[in-house]
Amino acid sequence: MNPLWLERKQQTPVRRDGDHRTPFQRDKARILHSAAFRRLQAKTQVLGVGLSDFHRTRLTHSLEASQIGQGIAAQIASKFPQTAEDVALDENLIEALCLAHDIGHPPFGHGGEIALHHKMVNHGGFEGNAQTFRIVTRLEPYTLEYGMNLSRRTVLGLVKYPNTINSLTNDSLYTSETNSRFIHAGTWCPPKGLYECDSELFDWLLAPLSESDKQYLLSYDTFPNRHSKTRFKSFDCSVMELADDIAYGIHDMEDAIVTGLITRAQFFEEVVKPVKHIERCWLADNIEQIGVQLFCEHHQRKEGIGALVNAFITAIEVGMADSAFEANLLKYNATLPDAYHQALNVFKQFVLTRVIRHPDIQRIEFKGQKIVIDLFDAFASDPARLLPESTRVRWEKASERDQGYRVIADYISGMTDGYAAKLFNTLFLPVSDYATETGQL
């Protein structure tokens, strides 16, 4: 491996006696012990935090994605040893990426993200993956200036969309909505990229690449009625993204089955039926039996969930992302064969249709969206008065208006669902209502 990929933005010569950990083991430890990671325990994954004590949060989802990522890494090392050697595949690195991949997501899931993007659209935008990059490279106070100060390769693995939001934005999609408290969610979905204000750190990240690899990595596809979309990601990132998709499509579906949000009839009609017609796929012959298990006793459901996850992990292959790249880290990606890719998309679409877009879930998301908008408006109206001291100091140091708004977005996006709701009540409920709400009568 090129030693430049092990470098950190802030080179620290201090080494503790007896510490024999690899750079990626140290990166994983920094992620696990960060406040940003701990806050995932109180952030919405699919079902709202507090609806029950069973469903997954962003934290448990990340832990499951990490376990799946380790399984994928083991499969690749066994089935494709030469490629694993060429890319210097490291299980600790994959685990670290899966643990950290969601730490930039704001409270209230997608509702919080579109609310912050709406407020930040003229100040650099907001996007959960971009915020993850910002947290690990700048915000998390492991170091004074460079966040967790992770190794270059770990940071590269977290960059799912290697270009800036400004470059990827299709301005024609935005409307001039005057009542910003009640925005149309579909209009304000952000482009998936990084913030322009973090370009210097992005340039540092890509320094080990050749000039041609850099430019090719930044390439993207444009569309008339959508934001532009980047084309490429690193090998490590492709493994993390597959682990994330499997955890989302299978484990998040389990929550909905247990809580009764999904019925047996719906599953057999919308998942079993289409999967049975996919050729050259083990799941086609076994999905009906698995479907029966999913709606039986707990231990049988767990057996079915395990069979689904194992089917996808063991099917994963390594393919050529694009031979035009010089660096092996960009040349190869982990992929699913077409048949299994189709099957996973069936599960993901089922979760999207029957869970994410369920009216009860959307109403909770809408409420969170409104909370975030109102909090942003309040803090932006009088930052010196309302921001907590540490955030106010950052705001006062911001030399431009956009930077000041970014400080406010950083503050709100780091909140948990519960903290944001409590702060909203503090700011907007009459004193008597707040006392009743908090039991302080």
Side-chain angles (χ1 to χ4, degrees), residues 209 213 217 233-234 321-322 325 327-333:
L209 299 174
D213 273 6
L217 180 63
K233 58 181 68 68
S234 71
D322 200 303
F325 284 115
N328 286 335
L329 271 180
L330 304 179
K331 188 180 296 183
Y332 300 105
N333 273 181

Side-chain angles (χ1 to χ4, degrees), residues 14-73:
V14 177
R15 290 289 181 269
R16 298 184 179 96
D17 289 342
D19 187 354
H20 301 295
R21 293 176 299 169
T22 68
F24 302 135
Q25 287 174 324
R26 285 196 286 273
D27 287 347
K28 182 175 71 174
R30 293 180 186 189
I31 292 163
L32 275 170
H33 294 289
S34 68
F37 182 74
R38 291 196 301 276
R39 281 194 289 266
L40 294 179
Q41 66 187 305
K43 289 192 177 187
T44 293
Q45 170 61 15
V46 172
L47 304 181
V49 171
L51 289 181
S52 77
D53 59 0
F54 170 83
H55 65 77
R56 288 159 171 88
T57 64
R58 290 267 180 199
L59 179 67
T60 55
H61 163 77
S62 298
L63 292 171
E64 287 172 334
S66 175
Q67 185 66 29
I68 292 170
Q70 292 177 66
I72 295 172

Side-chain angles (χ1 to χ4, degrees), residues 163 167-170 173 218-231:
N163 210 313
S167 300
L168 302 169
T169 297
N170 183 342
L173 300 179
L218 296 176
S219 60
Y220 54 86
D221 295 314
T222 58
F223 310 94
N225 300 310
R226 287 190 290 155
H227 294 300
S228 299
K229 185 178 180 181
T230 56
R231 296 172 179 167

Side-chain angles (χ1 to χ4, degrees), residues 2 40 59 89 110 137 181-182 215 296 311 336 370 427:
N2 184 341
L40 294 179
L59 179 67
L89 175 64
H110 186 57
T137 61
R181 296 182 70 202
F182 301 103
Q215 295 307 313
C296 287
L336 278 170
K370 181 179 178 299
L427 290 172

Side-chain angles (χ1 to χ4, degrees), residues 402-422:
D402 286 353
Q403 293 175 358
Y405 279 120
R406 179 63 65 195
V407 170
I408 295 172
D410 289 341
Y411 174 53
I412 295 174
S413 70
M415 296 178 184
T416 63
D417 296 17
Y419 183 80
K422 181 179 179 181

Side-chain angles (χ1 to χ4, degrees), residues 8 23 27 48 92 214 288 321 391 435:
R8 304 175 190 275
D27 287 347
N92 285 291
K214 285 181 194 177
E288 194 160 358
T391 307

